[in-house]
Amino acid sequence: MDSEINSKANLQEILNTLEVDRKKIAETYQTCYILFGLAILILVVGLFIRFAALGIIGCLVPLIIGIVMYFRIDDDAKKYKSAYKMNIVGTALKDINETLTIAPQSGLPEYEFISSELFTTEPDRYKTQDLISGIADKTSFWFAEVHAEYKTETRDKNGTKTTWHTIFKGIIFVADFNKNFNVSTVVRPKGIADAIGSWFSKNVFSFGNSEVVQLENTEFDDKFATFSKDQIEARYILTPAMMERILDLNRKSDDTISISFIHSKMYIAFPLSHNYFEAPIHSSLLAPDLLTYDLSIVQFMQDIIHELDLNTRIWGKE
């Protein structure tokens, strides 16, 4: 009890210290925006009164000061954001599970994103951050934010135009499924009319010689398409209880999920648009609901272990 009180007191102290830093950063950014606005105003007035040289010279002073201030405070902002993730988010994670850790600069390796066999297109640009890892009972799990894109190039008389397209943006969750699978089994959404289903139908792994697996759960077959090169192993993984758990997990998710079982791991892709664990700049750190939403995502991810009963070692791997 005493340690819990001390922990909360320490967290509050860290919050109070970072709040001072946040206010300084926010005020400096606001000053920069005012200076940039003033520079534009001086330039416009100079052009309006047909004194362009005076407008250009006059706008340079606030513009240069604003740029210098912006780059100086930008370094402080990066340190503040890093401290927020390590000290605030890192401490709060321990309330969910003592083993949970966050590594802001780490993420899901690109090779693992590709080897999940959930996506057809290898990324031309790949960003990942905020790797959270932990252990629930005997099951190791980790997840991270991922934004993977590919590019297309078109040529016209003006030259080459590069356009970036999203392959996936959201959270990829990985867990040790306690079994070395012989082949890969992939469960993906059905429903081309559905926006997420349509996205997956364009981007999900091209299954080659894999066959569609017909399962006995009608609701599951209506919602998902299942592919595997081994019908028997696919049915061994997707027991009636497992299908019900996946359906229940899908109901709790904002968008339709997609799952693969490959090697000894299970991958779940959750399409999301919001970035998590980002430190606020223009709103207070002392708000009572500061971490409520972000921590609910972490709790949701950990609950997957229990939802899918991954701790039941039915194949005997220890």
Side-chain angles (χ1 to χ4, degrees):
M1 188 68 177
D2 289 340
S3 62
E4 185 177 340
I5 293 172
N6 289 335
S7 176
K8 288 184 178 178
N10 290 338
L11 181 60
Q12 191 60 51
E13 187 178 338
I14 296 168
L15 279 169
N16 291 337
T17 302
L18 281 179
E19 176 65 6
V20 174
D21 295 339
R22 183 201 67 78
K23 285 181 177 179
K24 175 190 172 185
I25 292 165
E27 288 168 2
T28 305
Y29 275 137
Q30 288 171 359
T31 302
C32 291
Y33 301 148
I34 291 170
L35 288 169
F36 294 150
L38 182 61
I40 293 171
L41 180 62
I42 292 172
L43 180 61
V44 170
V45 170
L47 294 174
F48 183 75
I49 63 173
R50 297 183 180 180
F51 214 143
L54 180 64
I56 292 170
I57 294 170
C59 82
L60 284 176
V61 176
L63 182 63
I64 292 170
I65 294 172
I67 290 172
V68 171
M69 288 180 66
Y70 186 90
F71 279 104
R72 280 185 177 175
I73 203 63
D74 199 47
D75 286 337
D76 291 340
K78 288 175 182 175
K79 292 175 184 175
Y80 158 74
K81 290 177 180 179
S82 178
Y84 172 83
K85 287 183 179 180
M86 294 303 297
N87 299 328
I88 304 302
V89 177
T91 300
L93 287 174
K94 301 297 181 183
D95 290 335
I96 297 175
N97 181 330
E98 273 293 331
T99 70
L100 286 174
T101 59
I102 182 169
Q105 303 305 318
S106 298
L108 188 79
E110 186 174 350
Y111 74 83
E112 191 162 22
F113 176 85
I114 295 168
S115 69
S116 72
E117 297 194 1
L118 287 172
F119 311 98
T120 86
T121 309
E122 291 195 8
D124 293 312
R125 185 162 66 186
Y126 184 84
K127 296 178 183 177
T128 182
Q129 63 177 352
D130 296 337
L131 176 68
I132 292 179
S133 56
I135 300 172
D137 298 330
K138 295 180 179 180
T139 301
S140 298
F141 65 94
W142 55 97
F143 58 94
E145 291 184 49
V146 169
H147 188 193
E149 301 168 282
Y150 71 93
K151 65 181 179 181
T152 56
E153 295 182 343
T154 54
R155 298 179 185 275
D156 56 26
K157 61 182 181 181
N158 296 319
T160 301
K161 179 183 177 183
T162 300
T163 306
W164 290 95
H165 311 270
T166 293
I167 300 170
F168 176 80
K169 181 175 172 58
I171 288 177
I172 302 287
F173 174 90
V174 190
D176 174 8
F177 201 71
N178 314 314
K179 162 66 169 139
N180 290 314
F181 306 116
N182 295 320
V183 299
S184 59
T185 295
V186 181
V187 177
R188 65 180 178 87
K190 272 186 181 177
I192 295 176
D194 174 78
I196 300 300
S198 176
W199 178 89
F200 270 107
S201 71
K202 293 174 184 175
N203 291 286
V204 168
F205 176 69
S206 177
F207 296 101
N209 295 325
S210 294
E211 298 177 1
V212 175
V213 181
Q214 295 296 327
L215 299 161
E216 295 178 2
N217 187 315
T218 305
E219 183 184 356
F220 191 90
D221 265 353
D222 287 344
K223 190 71 179 176
F224 298 101
T226 304
F227 296 86
S228 181
K229 293 179 183 178
D230 188 331
Q231 298 267 328
I232 295 173
E233 183 174 77
R235 290 188 176 88
Y236 197 43
I237 296 168
L238 296 167
T239 62
M242 176 64 85
M243 285 187 283
E244 285 298 334
R245 290 189 181 100
I246 292 173
L247 284 168
D248 188 47
L249 183 65
N250 192 63
R251 292 184 197 106
K252 293 177 181 178
S253 177
D254 290 340
D255 291 314
T256 309
I257 64 176
S258 187
I259 304 177
S260 68
F261 304 88
I262 180 169
H263 305 311
S264 64
K265 297 173 184 173
M266 177 187 68
Y267 297 87
I268 309 181
F270 294 86
L272 298 167
S273 58
H274 177 72
N275 286 332
Y276 295 90
F277 318 119
E278 296 302 320
I281 296 289
H282 300 291
S283 60
S284 176
L285 282 176
L286 305 181
D289 60 347
L290 173 68
L291 286 167
T292 302
Y293 187 65
D294 286 357
L295 291 180
S296 71
I297 296 297
V298 178
Q299 185 67 59
F300 178 79
M301 293 295 164
Q302 177 172 275
D303 287 347
I304 291 170
I305 302 295
H306 304 292
E307 289 288 339
L308 299 183
D309 201 17
L310 298 190
N311 283 309
T312 300
R313 308 209 154 220
I314 56 176
W315 288 294
K317 178 183 170 187
E318 292 297 336

